[in-house]
Amino acid sequence: MNAKFLFMNTKFLFMNTKFLIMNTKFLFMNVKFLIMNTKFLFMNAKFLIMNVMGVAPRRYYFSISWLLSINTSDIQVLKTELNLEPIRADSVTFLQIANQILHLEFQTTPKSKTPLDFRMLDYYTRLKREYWCEIK
């Protein structure tokens, strides 16, 4: 009788262990699903914020003049893509020496279509963006 009772308890213990393992697997699956849903929720929230931040200034531009502390109704929405047109110069040379770039430009006329200081700024930012080194 004791052996039969011991066998039944062992069988019951084994079934409970199997049930516990199945519940643990189910719990891990639920946690994994919860993590995936949380990631999806954050991705949607990020997309929503980016969408609002991108659309709001273009749609409600007339109410944004307070950012610049000016009172005007002359506000225009400009295109968002900036194209890099070639810079026209009489003679331009870039020399890379070690970890720096020497920018040499010669202008043959006293005046140019694009002022020299604007061209220098444009060259500087383009070279810095491309090579990430000192520009002289």
Side-chain angles (χ1 to χ4, degrees):
M1 185 89 168
N2 280 342
K4 188 176 180 182
F5 183 72
L6 182 64
F7 176 74
M8 285 175 47
N9 278 345
T10 306
K11 188 176 178 182
F12 182 72
L13 180 65
F14 177 71
M15 286 173 44
N16 279 345
T17 305
K18 190 175 178 182
F19 183 70
L20 179 66
I21 290 170
M22 286 174 39
N23 279 343
T24 306
K25 285 181 181 177
F26 184 71
L27 176 68
F28 282 128
M29 285 174 38
N30 281 342
V31 168
K32 184 178 178 183
F33 184 71
L34 179 66
I35 290 170
M36 286 173 40
N37 280 342
T38 305
K39 285 181 182 177
F40 184 70
L41 177 68
F42 282 125
M43 285 174 31
N44 281 343
K46 181 180 176 184
F47 179 73
L48 177 66
I49 290 169
M50 286 174 34
N51 200 7
V52 167
M53 297 305 285
V55 171
R58 280 184 245 132
R59 187 166 291 165
Y60 305 106
Y61 63 91
F62 50 85
S63 63
I64 292 184
S65 62
W66 63 270
L67 283 172
L68 301 173
S69 300
I70 57 173
N71 189 10
T72 183
S73 60
D74 185 23
I75 299 174
Q76 299 175 14
V77 178
L78 303 176
K79 61 182 182 174
T80 57
E81 293 295 323
L82 300 175
N83 49 339
L84 293 174
E85 296 180 12
I87 304 170
R88 307 277 184 234
D90 295 333
S91 175
V92 124
T93 305
F94 303 115
L95 302 172
Q96 186 163 7
I97 305 164
N99 195 25
Q100 58 184 334
I101 294 177
L102 179 61
H103 168 202
L104 302 170
E105 179 172 342
F106 301 97
Q107 185 171 318
T108 57
T109 58
K111 287 258 185 192
S112 64
K113 183 177 177 184
T114 307
L116 184 64
D117 52 350
F118 286 116
R119 279 202 321 268
M120 292 297 128
L121 178 62
D122 201 3
Y123 281 128
Y124 179 84
T125 54
R126 290 185 191 195
L127 288 168
K128 193 69 164 181
R129 185 182 305 129
E130 180 76 22
Y131 298 102
W132 287 101
C133 64
E134 190 176 345
I135 313 294
K136 295 195 178 219

